[in-house]
């Protein structure tokens, strides 16, 4: 062999230039930033590049019902008092619910319509997934579902109407019930269809009654539904899904944060509704849909998959060109110019490719 010092140093420097990892170090984070930027243009707030990675591999999407798939705006469909008048029942319920921010409470207050004298209400207690308990004019009033009635030992009777039933009891005696119903979001069926097209399983978890849950699931074409769940049961359901999944395809949970903030933070990927959702949900979630449209999940998924594709392209492109340049320099075919291309040239091309992640197709 042989060769002078000059030659060896020249070759060593060429190697050094080629092996500089600029292309990877710059383009990979840039692709993720591009993906996050592209998503934000569609009203999807992603809190970090790693969530794009998880979203791209998600195989199950778990939805909450109220406020997520449905509008969370209930209409009163029937008032069935047992002992008092309809007006009294509604007033008492609205008073008991006056301090709650649950969609049901807001709707009942809306249905009552008149100004509420909140000085009549004291010792309010919100019972997640069940209802509320409050002292109205000194009497303990409970308003909520059958679980709450069973818990306080009040005998209630079901309603023939399908809908969410709010039972009301005062001082341990049953006063009657109010039936309310929610509408599904116009966008929800589209969201489920789009996810199915992408091969994603859809599950709904709700604290509402079984018939209501089933009706919604049927209307939207969901794969699975679990009803009458307390917030802790929702966590248990998500744990079950986490356990049965392969380490790759992690389930994502979509909720509005009312009674499901624990699940949002437990799931690997929590997606919250930005406008309807509670502050706790927006805080706990990893992705926030600013306009509350569940169909944006499919959009986010497309963006995530595309971003990861671009990242992979850049990694493969940079490594292949660099390996090739190293071989060429080693056998003496290439010189410093090729080495510079393998460093700066590849970086520029990878950056240009990464910038594609910023572009999203808007439908
Ligand atoms: P979802 O899982 O559908 O989002 P929630 O967990 O918020 O529903 O509530 C579950 C059920 O608990 C409701 O369907 C309702 O029967 C009862 N409930 C919860 N909060 C209230 C409330 N403030 N007033 C009356 N009922 C309530
Ligand atoms: Mg909810």
């Amino acid at each position: 062999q042989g060769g002078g010092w000059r030659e060896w140093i020249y070759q060593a420097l060429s190697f050094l230039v080629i092996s500089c990892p600029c292309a990877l170090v710059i383009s990979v984070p840039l692709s993720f930033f591009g993906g996050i930027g592209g998503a934000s243009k569609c009203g999807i707030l992603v809190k970090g590049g790693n969530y794009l990675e998880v979203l791209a591999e998600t195989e199950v999407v778990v939805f909450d019902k109220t406020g997520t798939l449905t509008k969370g705006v209930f209409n009163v469909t029937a008032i069935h008092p047992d002992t008092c008048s309809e007006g009294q029942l509604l007033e008492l319920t609205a008073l008991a619910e006056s301090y709650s921010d649950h969609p049901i409470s807001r709707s009942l207050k809306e249905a009552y319509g008149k100004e509420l004298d909140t000085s009549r209400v004291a010792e309010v207690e919100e019972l997640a997934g069940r209802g509320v308990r409050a002292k109205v004019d000194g009497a303990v009033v409970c308003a909520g579902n059958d679980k709450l009635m069973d818990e306080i030992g009040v005998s209630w009777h079901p309603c023939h109407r399908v809908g969410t039933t709010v039972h009301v009891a005062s001082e341990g005696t049953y006063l009657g019930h109010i039936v309310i119903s929610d509408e599904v979001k116009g966008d929800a069926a589209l969201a489920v269809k789009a996810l199915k097209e992408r091969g994603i399983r859809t599950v709904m978890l709700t604290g509402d009654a079984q018939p209501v849950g089933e009706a919604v699931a049927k209307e939207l074409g969901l794969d699975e539904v679990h009803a009458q769940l307390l917030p802790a049961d929702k966590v248990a359901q998500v744990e079950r899904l986490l356990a049965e999944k392969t380490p790759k395809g992690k389930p994502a949970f979509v909720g509005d944060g009312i009674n499901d903030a624990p699940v949002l933070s437990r799931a690997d990927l929590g997606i919250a509704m930005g406008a309807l959702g509670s502050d706790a949900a927006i805080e706990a979630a990893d992705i926030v849909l600013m306009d509350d449209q569940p169909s944006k999940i499919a959009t986010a998924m497309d963006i995530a998959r595309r971003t990861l594709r671009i990242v992979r392209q850049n990694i493969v492109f940079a490594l292949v060109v660099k390996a090739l340049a190293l071989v060429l320099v080693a056998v003496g075919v290439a010189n410093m110019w090729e080495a510079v291309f393998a460093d700066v040239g590849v970086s520029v091309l990878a950056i240009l490719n990464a910038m594609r992640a910023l572009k999203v197709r808007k439908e």
Side-chain angles (χ1 to χ4, degrees):
Q1 285 287 320
W5 273 102
R6 226 185 110 82
E7 206 175 305
W8 285 114
I9 289 177
Y10 184 84
Q11 203 155 21
L13 287 178
S14 303
F15 265 61
L16 198 66
V17 170
I18 297 169
S19 55
C20 167
C22 296
L24 296 177
V25 174
I26 299 173
S27 76
V28 171
L30 201 66
S31 308
F32 280 115
F33 289 144
I36 292 173
S40 75
K41 271 196 229 156
C42 303
I44 305 160
L45 196 77
V46 184
K47 292 194 189 170
N50 48 334
Y51 303 122
L52 285 180
E53 244 180 303
V54 181
L55 185 63
E57 286 172 354
T58 295
E59 284 168 2
V60 189
V61 174
V62 186
F63 291 96
D64 168 58
K65 180 180 77 74
T66 315
T68 304
L69 289 174
T70 67
K71 290 180 182 160
V73 181
F74 292 83
N75 290 316
V76 173
T77 48
I79 304 179
H80 296 153
D82 267 19
T83 45
C84 54
S85 76
E86 287 190 8
Q88 276 170 331
L89 187 67
L90 187 59
E91 183 182 10
L92 201 61
T93 318
L95 279 169
E97 300 266 13
S98 57
Y99 284 101
S100 169
D101 221 13
H102 195 278
I104 292 181
S105 312
R106 276 189 255 158
S107 310
L108 287 171
K109 282 180 271 187
E110 183 95 350
Y112 178 62
K114 284 172 251 175
E115 195 67 42
L116 287 166
D117 178 9
T118 45
S119 64
R120 293 168 62 190
V121 190
E123 291 175 36
V124 186
E125 213 182 323
E126 192 142 6
L127 310 157
R130 285 159 298 169
V132 290
R133 176 176 22 219
K135 261 195 176 158
V136 180
D137 299 329
V140 179
V141 176
C142 292
N145 52 17
D146 36 1
K147 264 193 191 144
L148 178 65
M149 292 297 120
D150 288 339
E151 209 174 279
I152 57 170
V154 167
S155 65
W156 53 280
H157 55 84
C159 191
H160 57 276
R161 275 178 187 264
V162 174
T164 306
T165 314
V166 179
H167 299 284
V168 188
S170 171
E171 286 293 323
T173 39
Y174 190 62
L175 294 183
H177 52 244
I178 299 176
V179 186
I180 52 181
S181 65
D182 200 357
E183 265 174 73
V184 297
K185 285 185 191 167
D187 179 67
L190 201 80
V192 175
K193 193 167 146 268
L195 288 176
K196 282 207 170 148
E197 280 167 8
R198 286 164 182 77
I200 312 286
R201 187 152 70 102
T202 50
V203 181
M204 184 175 86
L205 304 180
T206 178
D208 213 336
Q210 190 79 33
V212 184
E214 267 166 22
V216 172
K218 209 167 139 213
E219 187 176 342
L220 298 179
L222 290 156
D223 294 322
E224 228 177 286
V225 55
H226 301 277
Q228 280 175 317
L229 303 172
L230 294 179
D233 302 331
K234 291 187 186 175
V235 177
Q237 286 286 346
V238 169
E239 300 261 354
R240 182 181 61 80
L241 287 167
L242 275 171
E244 80 183 29
K245 278 327 297 172
T246 51
K248 251 191 114 193
K250 304 208 170 90
F253 181 81
V254 197
D256 63 348
I258 296 169
N259 294 341
D260 55 21
V263 203
L264 274 173
S265 52
R266 178 65 192 86
D268 288 288
L269 192 71
I271 305 177
M273 299 290 137
L276 258 178
S278 66
D279 291 348
I282 294 168
E283 177 68 35
D286 308 311
I287 295 179
V288 182
L289 306 178
M290 295 317 291
D291 52 10
D292 290 353
Q293 288 179 354
S295 66
K296 285 284 165 70
I297 298 163
T299 313
M301 214 165 243
D302 289 346
I303 293 172
R305 289 180 180 178
R306 185 154 173 269
T307 304
L308 259 86
R309 215 160 38 233
I310 292 174
V311 167
R312 285 196 201 104
Q313 281 166 3
N314 280 341
I315 294 175
V316 170
F317 171 65
L319 291 183
V320 166
V321 173
K322 278 172 190 290
L324 206 69
L326 284 176
V327 172
L328 292 180
V329 169
V331 297
V333 179
N335 60 19
M336 187 55 96
W337 288 111
E338 278 81 11
V340 169
F341 170 78
D343 178 37
V344 182
V346 169
S347 297
V348 170
L349 289 176
I351 288 168
L352 288 178
N353 190 34
M355 276 163 58
R356 287 196 309 129
L358 199 60
K359 282 223 189 72
V360 285
R361 192 167 32 86
K362 275 205 189 146
E363 52 258 41

